[in-house]
Amino acid sequence: MGLYALPGPVVRRKTRVLLLALLAGVLGVAAALVAPAPARAAESTLGAAAAQSGRYFGVAVAANRLSDSTYATIAAREFNSVTAENEMKIDATEPQRGQFNFSGADRVYNWAVQNGKEVRGHTLAWHSQQPGWMQSLSGSALRQAMIDHINGVMNHYKGRIAQWDVVNEAFADGSSGARRDSNLQRTGNDWIEAAFRAARAADPSAKLCYNDYNVENWTWAKTQAMYSMVRDFKQRGVPIDCVGFQSHFNSGSPYNSNFRTTLQNFAALGVDVAVTELDIQGASASTYANVVNDCLAVPRCLGVTVWGVRDSDSWRADQTPLLFNNDGSKKAAYTAVLDALNGGSTTPPADGGTIKGVASGRCLDVPNSGTADGTQVQLWDCHSGTNQQWTYTAAGELRGYGDKCLDAAGTGNGAKVQIYSCWGGDNQRWRLNSDGSVVGVQSGLCLDAAGTGNGTLVQLYSCSSGTNQRWSRT
């Protein structure tokens, strides 16, 4: 993880409660939708719940925040694994060539050990956050400096670090499947192999991981390129023990249900897998639960690490992506994760059914039972098919198929209303009003049907008193 925004392959455009919205009054049902009683937790903290299955639930910790009592209390209570956010990176540990400084790294490490937590090391070889002296090197001099750095850091922590992210983010973004053009790559295509061999020699007891982002979706070229490298390494005996999936899910790189397939396929190569830097734009409770359940479903998944404690501690604070609010209170996503780790409920409470247009008598429908992101919804004769089943969640989403959300593709009159993978954005949140109108939180416009016949497309439009903008639940 760097100090920059993570680009996604495509750029496009948050909470358990005891009582859901009064959907009865909103959509014409006789009774309000009350959430079912939450599953009784076997353990009351994330780390303890994860430990039941032999896994960890960890957090990235910044040394300068440990003096914040709320921050330190949550980190100590909830997690059983720690990753140093920046303190073990190259610029922090070797600011001058051959002169190592472990003050920040040791502060995080010692705090973690004193609080009974294992430590993940992050990261040894990376194109980013290199000190100036390293940036000025090239060729064989840079290769030797990389190996010397690995030796220096790993020798300091020898036998004390559970996993090391040996190499971080070596593949290019986009659809090329190529290596990233970095100074390390320009030392020769074998630089990653050289780093892993040096790391094994420096500390044979540590698990050695390759770590990257935008590699969670099995269909993406970057994922396939990483898979090919790991397969090659295993076939040739290059010492690699695990693969880390950063899992910075956002609108440009949304969670996809094939993440479990990705984890399973890598594990089948004979490596462990881990979710190493999890944060989710909008902190969707269901998406958090899905990620945890994906890990739980793969025996070789070591655990999950979230990248920060509270939203205010996040490198993406404006996207409110973490399990705790700025004041340290727990979000619905926290409860969803805890329930999943305890084997209980894995999604926020909700209730499903069809949504019928008052003017047309026809139902909100996904054409041809399609599931592709961007499919515009329509009116169609009501039936019991899953493509007409909508679940209103505590987060204000209208979900179809479990993981697709009713989504506004814009904020103006005529904007397409479609299905899209749920990611927690305001364009996927809806306010259900007592007059039967359904209003987009982002746009303030109403769900609108421009006609009454089968196939009439549904859009956003300025709210009026028309029956073409009123909906009932059946």
Side-chain angles (χ1 to χ4, degrees), residues 100 102-103 105-106 150-160:
F100 290 88
F102 296 105
S103 57
D106 281 351
I150 291 171
N151 287 333
V153 176
M154 292 192 76
N155 284 335
H156 179 77
Y157 290 108
K158 188 172 184 177
R160 299 188 289 157

Side-chain angles (χ1 to χ4, degrees), residues 259-319:
F259 184 32
R260 186 175 303 189
T261 298
T262 303
L263 296 175
Q264 290 169 333
N265 287 343
F266 275 86
L269 293 176
V271 293
D272 294 327
V273 293
V275 179
T276 56
E277 304 184 17
L278 179 63
D279 49 27
I280 300 172
Q281 184 175 3
S284 164
S286 57
T287 305
Y288 259 107
N290 286 338
V291 174
V292 170
N293 280 311
D294 290 340
C295 177
L296 293 173
V298 180
R300 295 200 70 151
C301 185
L302 300 170
V304 175
T305 297
V306 290
W307 205 253
V309 178
R310 306 160 299 190
D311 287 337
S312 54
D313 308 310
S314 172
W315 67 303
R316 301 163 63 197
D318 61 317
Q319 297 180 13

Side-chain angles (χ1 to χ4, degrees), residues 348-366:
D351 188 69
T354 59
I355 298 175
K356 181 186 291 186
V358 170
S360 66
R362 292 187 165 91
C363 282
L364 195 65
D365 175 282
V366 183

Side-chain angles (χ1 to χ4, degrees), residues 67-145:
S67 57
D68 180 325
S69 61
T70 302
Y71 177 97
T73 297
I74 297 172
R77 181 189 71 223
E78 293 290 342
F79 306 98
N80 59 347
S81 173
V82 161
T83 302
E85 191 168 343
N86 288 291
E87 291 80 359
M88 291 188 183
K89 291 175 180 173
I90 309 168
D91 56 351
T93 53
E94 195 178 0
Q96 301 297 325
R97 188 170 187 179
Q99 298 178 19
F100 290 88
N101 184 340
F102 296 105
S103 57
D106 281 351
R107 183 179 178 192
V108 173
Y109 176 87
N110 291 336
W111 180 89
V113 172
Q114 289 162 9
N115 283 277
K117 307 176 192 313
E118 68 175 38
V119 179
R120 295 191 73 256
H122 176 80
T123 180
L124 296 168
W126 189 26
H127 70 275
S128 186
Q129 288 183 245
Q130 295 179 1
W133 66 265
M134 181 174 279
Q135 296 176 38
S136 69
L137 300 178
S138 62
S140 59
L142 177 58
R143 175 69 65 88
Q144 189 59 53

Side-chain angles (χ1 to χ4, degrees), residues 8 48 101 110 179 196 202-203 229 241 258 282 292 363 416 456:
N101 184 340
N110 291 336
R179 293 278 186 89
F196 274 89
D203 187 355
M229 181 192 73
D241 304 309
N258 70 22
V292 170
C363 282
K416 182 171 74 169
T456 299

Side-chain angles (χ1 to χ4, degrees), residues 127-334:
H127 70 275
S128 186
Q129 288 183 245
Q130 295 179 1
W133 66 265
M134 181 174 279
Q135 296 176 38
S136 69
L137 300 178
S138 62
S140 59
L142 177 58
R143 175 69 65 88
Q144 189 59 53
M146 177 191 76
I147 293 173
D148 291 344
H149 178 79
I150 291 171
N151 287 333
V153 176
M154 292 192 76
N155 284 335
H156 179 77
Y157 290 108
K158 188 172 184 177
R160 299 188 289 157
I161 297 286
Q163 306 166 40
W164 270 109
D165 290 334
V166 178
V167 173
N168 198 44
E169 301 175 359
F171 286 91
D173 294 313
S175 59
S176 69
R179 293 278 186 89
R180 181 188 297 273
D181 180 23
S182 69
N183 59 350
L184 292 169
Q185 178 65 28
R186 292 191 290 273
T187 70
N189 203 52
D190 64 336
W191 76 273
I192 301 177
E193 177 177 344
F196 274 89
R197 292 192 183 279
R200 175 66 85 229
D203 187 355
S205 67
K207 286 184 181 290
L208 308 181
C209 306
Y210 176 80
N211 192 54
D212 216 324
Y213 67 93
N214 283 357
V215 288
E216 294 78 21
N217 189 317
W218 177 245
T219 68
W220 286 353
K222 188 174 181 180
T223 310
Q224 293 299 311
M226 183 174 76
Y227 179 83
S228 295
M229 181 192 73
V230 175
R231 180 177 57 193
D232 172 63
F233 280 11
K234 294 301 292 184
Q235 289 172 345
R236 295 193 295 110
V238 179
I240 183 170
D241 304 309
C242 45
V243 177
F245 298 82
Q246 293 186 13
S247 303
H248 295 291
F249 294 117
N250 55 32
S251 57
S253 180
Y255 168 82
N256 188 290
S257 59
N258 70 22
F259 184 32
R260 186 175 303 189
T261 298
T262 303
L263 296 175
Q264 290 169 333
N265 287 343
F266 275 86
L269 293 176
V271 293
D272 294 327
V273 293
V275 179
T276 56
E277 304 184 17
L278 179 63
D279 49 27
I280 300 172
Q281 184 175 3
S284 164
S286 57
T287 305
Y288 259 107
N290 286 338
V291 174
V292 170
N293 280 311
D294 290 340
C295 177
L296 293 173
V298 180
R300 295 200 70 151
C301 185
L302 300 170
V304 175
T305 297
V306 290
W307 205 253
V309 178
R310 306 160 299 190
D311 287 337
S312 54
D313 308 310
S314 172
W315 67 303
R316 301 163 63 197
D318 61 317
Q319 297 180 13
T320 59
L322 296 175
L323 299 176
F324 295 87
N325 293 303
N326 295 350
D327 62 1
S329 60
K330 300 170 182 177
K331 296 185 184 181
Y334 171 93

